[in-house]
Amino acid sequence: MNIEIRSQDFSISEALQRYAERRLGFALRRFSKDIGRVMVRLSDLNGPRGGADKRCQITASVLPSQAVSLQAVDADLYAAIDRAAARLERALARCLARTRESGRGRMSIRKPAGIRLQPLESG
């Protein structure tokens, strides 16, 4: 998994860079074999005017040919990174579950009411 962090209109401190890499590493470690590249874009929407305007936008390439993209906005850039990483973790879990289920060709089988299904006996 390759994590690339970029910013618009400000420079990223070494502490912020390490924090983002560590936070994303924790959130994405269980998906590491399914993810190619992760692009993190940090921006300050209002500039020096202040307010809840720090944005963390993350795009993750899911192998073989899908991408999951989302963003979080907060007054604190560290909080925006936390929220975006948590959202990405949940979105990737859903995306990969759908991909795996559709790849197996599973169909939803509903049993009629009042009928109990018994396991097959081997032998």
Side-chain angles (χ1 to χ4, degrees):
M1 174 173 49
N2 179 21
I3 299 175
E4 187 175 334
I5 301 173
R6 294 187 183 174
S7 68
Q8 295 176 331
D9 302 327
F10 64 92
S11 61
I12 301 173
S13 68
E14 189 176 325
L16 183 62
Q17 173 99 16
R18 281 195 317 261
Y19 181 81
E21 288 172 353
R22 190 181 59 154
R23 182 62 180 93
L24 285 168
F26 287 142
L28 305 178
R29 71 176 156 218
R30 69 181 177 149
F31 308 114
S32 62
K33 64 179 168 70
D34 298 310
I35 298 174
R37 183 175 145 207
V38 178
M39 172 64 76
V40 180
R41 290 183 182 90
L42 304 173
S43 57
D44 188 352
L45 301 176
N46 291 336
R49 292 180 292 190
D53 64 341
K54 310 296 188 285
R55 178 175 62 184
C56 176
Q57 181 178 2
I58 305 174
T59 303
S61 301
V62 182
L63 302 175
S65 63
Q66 294 180 353
V68 174
S69 183
L70 54 84
Q71 68 179 7
V73 178
D74 200 282
D76 179 40
L77 195 50
Y78 288 88
I81 291 169
D82 282 341
R83 290 178 56 207
R87 286 180 181 175
L88 181 63
E89 184 176 9
R90 289 189 304 269
L92 284 171
R94 286 190 309 269
C95 175
L96 292 171
R98 282 191 302 256
T99 301
R100 288 182 180 126
E101 193 159 309
S102 69
R104 291 182 188 152
R106 285 187 152 185
M107 295 178 56
S108 176
I109 300 173
R110 294 186 182 183
K111 64 178 183 172
I115 296 177
R116 291 179 51 188
L117 299 176
Q118 299 292 326
L120 294 175
E121 293 181 20
S122 61

